Amino acid sequence: FLDRNEKRISSQNEEYIRELTEQRAISIDNLFEENLSFIKATAYLYGNSLSSPAADIQTIKEYEESTVFDMLRFIDRNGDNYTSQGVISNLADRAYFQSGLRGEAGITYVLKSRVTGQRQIGFYSPVYYDNEIIGVMVGFFGEDYINRLLEFELFGSRGESWLCDKDGTVLGTTVVERLNEAQDQSFENFFSYLTGMDRVAEDGMEVIRDAFEKGGSIDFYYNDAGDEA
């Protein structure tokens, strides 16, 4: 009886964790869609406020003060990156800038900001003036926002949560402070973390990589510092 009861409780817990994970993923998806819609609206309003294609620093400053993002940027067609302080860098080589000039809107990330030295996640959209693209508007959130986004509790304890791109690059996690120097504090890739210290067997990694690539949901077991989790 005790054995059956323990298996029943374990099964219920696994189902609860599965549902919680899927709900959180959907919630983050919805939030990202809202942020993308917000930057599209900001780019549209900014373009319509201009009297010429030149960057308007005062308007950028006003938008930055009222935006939901931690930082707001306007990158002109030459790649010059304007903030409320003026031009601070040239980002012509950034893929999201080139994508924006093609008329695309989307989500990007920076593993180490030239300004803050931290990870950032950004939302971008082209800016139009007289029906022509004159640059790209980008709204960034810093690491604090990403960390707050990932925080949650599970059975009274802090949950372990990760935000990664399809190739496993870590955009944010709740467990960075648990890493010691031997485990590499830079902590750039989720796949590398799982394969380190034999946390997940190679056949399990194949399933995880496939799920990342196809966007599917899976369950898997791994050893957390030697203890099964």
Side-chain angles (χ1 to χ4, degrees):
F1 170 79
L2 292 176
D3 183 57
R4 289 198 303 270
N5 191 51
E6 183 176 345
K7 289 181 179 179
R8 178 182 60 81
I9 293 174
S10 177
S11 177
Q12 290 176 342
N13 288 343
E14 288 183 6
E15 183 62 26
Y16 170 73
I17 294 171
R18 185 180 300 110
E19 291 179 356
L20 175 64
T21 303
E22 292 178 351
Q23 289 169 4
R24 286 181 59 78
I26 292 171
S27 175
I28 292 176
D29 275 344
N30 291 338
L31 181 59
F32 282 3
E33 285 295 331
E34 292 175 7
N35 291 335
L36 191 55
S37 296
F38 191 91
I39 199 64
K40 288 179 180 178
T42 302
Y44 173 81
L45 293 173
Y46 175 76
N48 278 270
S49 73
L50 299 175
S51 57
S52 75
D56 186 335
I57 294 177
Q58 180 59 36
T59 300
I60 294 172
K61 181 178 180 180
E62 292 173 359
Y63 281 30
E64 191 172 50
E65 291 173 349
S66 61
T67 185
V68 299
F69 301 106
D70 294 331
M71 293 159 282
L72 193 66
R73 305 286 185 259
F74 170 70
I75 312 170
D76 68 14
R77 288 194 63 87
N78 296 320
D80 289 334
N81 178 27
Y82 286 84
T83 71
S84 56
Q85 307 302 315
V87 180
I88 63 172
S89 59
N90 187 280
L91 302 178
D93 61 335
R94 295 295 174 90
Y96 64 83
F97 167 69
Q98 297 167 9
S99 176
L101 286 187
R102 294 193 297 268
E104 302 170 6
I107 304 174
T108 185
Y109 60 85
V110 178
L111 291 181
K112 189 173 183 179
S113 167
R114 297 173 183 174
V115 178
T116 66
Q118 296 184 337
R119 285 179 171 86
Q120 295 177 333
I121 186 166
F123 300 80
Y124 65 89
S125 180
V127 175
Y128 289 86
Y129 178 79
D130 282 348
N131 296 319
E132 292 187 2
I133 296 176
I134 62 168
V136 180
M137 186 71 72
V138 191
F140 281 106
F141 290 111
E143 277 189 7
D144 289 343
Y145 169 85
I146 299 173
N147 292 339
R148 290 196 304 270
L149 185 67
L150 297 177
E151 287 180 351
F152 74 105
E153 286 194 355
L154 187 64
F155 306 128
S157 300
R158 188 182 185 193
E160 184 172 319
S161 184
W162 305 75
L163 180 64
C164 313
D165 75 358
K166 291 176 69 174
D167 68 5
T169 299
V170 176
L171 309 186
T173 177
T174 60
V175 301
V176 170
E177 71 280 0
R178 289 172 45 198
L179 301 174
N180 56 40
E181 292 181 1
Q183 294 172 315
D184 185 11
Q185 287 185 344
S186 62
F187 206 52
E188 300 292 347
N189 192 278
F190 185 58
F191 300 154
S192 298
Y193 172 74
L194 291 181
T195 54
M197 298 179 67
D198 296 323
R199 291 184 176 91
V200 175
E202 186 55 39
D203 55 349
M205 287 304 306
E206 292 178 5
V207 175
I208 295 170
R209 288 191 177 96
D210 186 63
F212 268 62
E213 180 63 29
K214 297 178 180 178
S217 297
I218 61 165
D219 302 333
F220 66 94
Y221 289 91
Y222 75 103
N223 291 322
D224 183 9
D227 298 325
E228 185 173 301

